[in-house]
Amino acid sequence: MFYIVTHKKFEQPRETGYVSILAGAALHGHIFGDLYDDTGDSISGKNPSYCELTALYWIWKNSHDPYIGICHYRRYFSGYWDDRRILTEKDALRILKNYDVILPQTAHLSESVREEYIHNCGRERDLDIVRKIIAGQCPSYLSHFDSYMSGHTTTYKNMMVCSRERYDEYCSWLFPILSEMEKYADFTGYSSLEKRMYGLLAERLLNVYIRKNGWRVKHLFILEPERKLSAGMKLIYRIARVTSFYL
């Protein structure tokens, strides 16, 4: 099942296997969506700082699908054979026969992952705290955390497609780290973006988890229906898509 995380009304794809889930429903009410993240076992009220993770938590605790796909109301994985269409269930399952997870394309940064986080969206203390928590909870991940943070490649958006088993394993690792971090959180003086700390950190921590566990990754382009691309950008995407097909 593909879960489309949203916080507002949008034009939902007609492909089978896609359902919308309203994130932060405990704060906004059931204004739109097929599912709501404030039912059952939930952390919906934490949405302002956890962002789409309140939906990811709900899916982890309340769904029973054999595979999990996470996308956003304005971002979807492109099809493997046709990058002008969103990924179908059939092609996703075909990819997962040879890969452990589907992620967005890799971003190549001019500065380190750590520097990019500090300069663009968060505070250095956030990274220092989460590092200490990892050292205490799961020290075997520490070298991978340090290597990733000093590197120049990453993926963003908290989007993925993987089996239920792997999704459960990842969430069982991620959410205890974030829960422990809440004990040290102090948003005094933080901007609205910086207050989205848990969602922003999770984007980075997914990379750490996958590297540590050696998951086989298939990267796909992201379609953004609401974004208008220039002809030049469309050509760049097309060339990159054809090139990656032969790699």
Side-chain angles (χ1 to χ4, degrees):
M1 182 68 70
F2 282 91
Y3 291 89
I4 310 169
V5 182
T6 186
H7 63 88
K8 67 174 188 177
K9 291 184 177 181
F10 69 104
E11 185 175 349
Q12 193 162 324
R14 296 181 180 180
E15 274 76 4
T16 59
Y18 280 81
V19 297
S20 59
I21 177 168
L22 186 65
L27 305 174
H28 309 303
H30 293 189
I31 55 175
F32 177 81
D34 300 315
L35 301 168
Y36 308 96
D37 74 348
D38 64 341
T39 61
D41 188 346
S42 80
I43 56 170
S44 182
K46 297 180 179 181
N47 181 255
S49 58
Y50 270 70
C51 310
E52 63 269 6
L53 296 185
T54 58
L56 270 68
Y57 181 93
W58 186 94
I59 294 165
W60 173 38
K61 292 295 187 178
N62 299 283
S63 71
H64 304 284
D65 307 291
Y67 80 92
I68 303 295
I70 306 293
C71 54
H72 303 160
Y73 72 96
R74 59 193 179 98
R75 301 187 186 100
Y76 302 89
F77 285 106
S78 65
Y80 182 57
W81 301 107
D82 184 354
D83 62 3
R84 296 166 297 181
R85 300 177 61 86
I86 68 172
L87 185 64
T88 65
E89 279 188 298
K90 181 179 179 180
D91 280 346
L93 293 175
R94 183 181 300 173
I95 292 171
L96 292 179
K97 289 181 179 180
N98 299 306
Y99 295 90
D100 297 311
V101 66
I102 300 171
L103 294 181
Q105 283 289 334
T106 300
H108 298 272
L109 310 177
S110 59
E111 54 189 347
S112 71
V113 173
R114 179 182 178 87
E115 292 168 335
E116 186 274 335
Y117 179 87
I118 296 170
H119 292 163
N120 294 328
C121 60
R123 300 288 182 97
E124 186 172 16
R125 71 180 300 271
D126 304 339
L127 299 179
D128 292 339
I129 292 171
V130 79
R131 186 182 187 279
K132 290 180 181 179
I133 293 171
I134 289 174
Q137 286 191 3
C138 45
S140 64
Y141 283 79
L142 194 58
S143 62
H144 297 273
F145 177 86
D146 290 340
S147 175
Y148 164 70
M149 283 294 169
S150 63
H152 293 258
T153 60
T154 187
T155 61
Y156 295 116
K157 304 178 177 65
N158 285 319
M159 292 174 60
M160 70 190 84
V161 187
C162 61
S163 68
R164 156 62 63 179
E165 180 182 7
R166 295 197 180 279
Y167 187 77
D168 287 349
E169 291 170 355
Y170 167 61
C171 290
S172 296
W173 175 81
L174 172 69
F175 284 102
I177 292 174
L178 301 182
S179 179
E180 179 67 17
M181 193 164 183
E182 290 184 40
K183 299 177 182 179
Y184 307 95
D186 180 2
F187 292 146
T188 302
Y190 275 42
S191 67
S192 57
L193 175 59
E194 291 170 340
K195 290 178 181 178
R196 298 168 62 185
M197 178 179 69
Y198 303 104
L200 294 169
L201 286 175
E203 288 185 280
R204 280 80 182 170
L205 292 178
L206 175 59
N207 291 266
V208 176
Y209 185 85
I210 286 175
R211 294 179 185 209
K212 165 63 172 67
N213 290 282
W215 283 13
R216 298 166 299 168
V217 180
K218 176 61 182 177
H219 294 281
L220 293 180
F221 286 106
I222 300 301
L223 296 179
E224 300 182 67
E226 297 184 359
R227 182 184 178 192
K228 303 299 183 182
L229 294 177
S230 66
M233 285 303 297
K234 289 180 180 179
L235 178 59
I236 290 172
Y237 280 147
R238 180 64 59 186
I239 293 173
R241 172 66 176 88
V242 171
T243 302
S244 64
F245 179 82
Y246 290 102
L247 295 179

